[in-house]
Amino acid sequence: LRCRMRTSKCQLLVTSLCVMLLGLSIATLTTVTHYELRFALLSNISLESNAYRVIHHTAFYFGICLSMTLILAALLSSAATVRESQCLTAMGFFCFALAFCGLIPAACWRYTHSTEVEESMMDVYDIVYEDVRRNASSFRRHELTAIHEAFLCCGKHSPFGDTDNIEHKTCPSSQVRDAGQDCLQEIRNFLKKHMDFVSIPLGITIGFTVYGMILTSFLWFSIHFSSSLDRKGKYILR
């Protein structure tokens, strides 16, 4: 039994290290996504009534809080393993459980609301494009040009016949010459690739948080029923 306890302690230390690396990875991914040119550009251009700006900022704060919770869980679990403290073990378990309770809704939201994010991003482009088509304001034209340059796309398929003039004024010359990609399709493809990439660390993190909860609960019960995992037995000679 003592050998199994020591094995569990080693496993918990390794798991804590992996969770800490995952927490740092999620913090980095969240920061890079928040300030990435294409995401940030659409967020700055979007109107207050558009849902994308809210989604953009909410995802950033959620990712940072989640990464901090994972790092805290890893630190508490490591300290609990070394010091064999019931209090630290319970706190580590609580942080793992808290991270798990945040990861499951995030995973569900990723699959059930991905179309909402996609539509809100495309709505931003539609609004800017139609404003330029109707008014041809210089301010909106600069925004549309910035979107075309960021996504390397050119215009969209429209039932109106005056799109060619807009595209020649706002698209990069290479995109106009080569009949560039439709911007709505390019936004959809970009978001799909990004969401698929995010799903990988999300699934790995869920697995490690579950494993961390199992190990911390086992360590807590081990410490509870023994004053020390390395305690020697007492022998009485008769």
Side-chain angles (χ1 to χ4, degrees):
L1 178 60
R2 188 178 293 113
C3 181
R4 290 182 179 178
M5 292 178 182
R6 291 173 180 171
T7 302
S8 298
K9 289 172 67 177
C10 294
Q11 291 176 343
L12 184 56
L13 285 174
V14 173
T15 302
S16 299
L17 177 61
C18 293
V19 170
M20 182 175 293
L21 293 176
L22 284 170
L24 293 173
S25 300
I26 291 175
T28 304
L29 178 62
T30 301
T31 304
V32 170
T33 300
H34 184 73
Y35 294 103
E36 201 272 338
L37 175 61
R38 285 162 286 192
F39 285 117
L41 178 62
L42 292 180
S43 177
N44 294 332
I45 293 175
S46 65
L47 302 176
E48 294 292 338
S49 58
N50 189 278
Y52 175 69
R53 182 176 295 184
V54 177
I55 295 173
H56 184 72
H57 291 291
T58 302
F60 174 73
Y61 293 123
F62 176 81
I64 294 298
C65 292
L66 177 61
S67 63
M68 294 299 104
T69 303
L70 290 171
I71 293 173
L72 182 60
L75 293 174
L76 290 173
S77 300
S78 300
T81 304
V82 174
R83 301 185 62 179
E84 298 178 4
S85 170
Q86 281 186 273
C87 180
L88 291 176
T89 305
M91 293 173 64
F93 176 86
F94 175 77
C95 288
F96 275 120
L98 186 63
F100 179 77
C101 291
L103 285 165
I104 294 301
C108 294
W109 189 91
R110 179 259 179 272
Y111 289 103
T112 58
H113 291 76
S114 58
T115 56
E116 180 180 340
V117 182
E118 177 183 303
E119 290 172 359
S120 63
M121 292 180 69
M122 291 191 294
D123 283 344
V124 175
Y125 180 81
D126 268 332
I127 291 172
V128 175
Y129 187 91
E130 293 303 322
D131 282 349
V132 173
R133 188 184 65 81
R134 289 194 300 266
N135 303 323
S137 64
S138 59
F139 180 74
R140 281 299 194 184
R141 188 163 59 247
H142 288 312
E143 292 179 342
L144 187 61
T145 302
I147 295 176
H148 288 162
E149 292 177 350
F151 284 92
L152 296 178
C153 60
C154 183
K156 66 173 185 175
H157 298 299
S158 174
F160 301 99
D162 54 351
T163 57
D164 289 339
N165 188 36
I166 298 174
E167 293 171 0
H168 279 86
K169 290 182 178 180
T170 60
C171 293
S173 57
S174 60
Q175 296 293 322
V176 176
R177 183 175 61 254
D178 300 333
Q181 176 73 34
D182 178 85
C183 282
L184 297 180
Q185 185 64 39
E186 190 64 24
I187 292 173
R188 181 183 291 110
N189 294 338
F190 167 74
L191 182 62
K192 184 179 184 301
K193 291 178 181 177
H194 185 79
M195 296 296 279
D196 290 341
F197 178 76
V198 169
S199 299
I200 297 174
L202 193 63
I204 295 174
T205 306
I206 290 175
F208 272 101
T209 53
V210 173
Y211 193 51
M213 285 191 292
I214 294 173
L215 290 177
T216 49
S217 60
F218 179 79
L219 182 61
W220 188 91
F221 282 108
S222 300
I223 298 173
H224 180 72
F225 291 111
S226 176
S227 59
S228 174
L229 294 178
D230 298 320
R231 183 183 61 184
K232 302 293 184 182
K234 294 183 178 181
Y235 299 92
I236 301 176
L237 299 177
R238 295 182 180 273

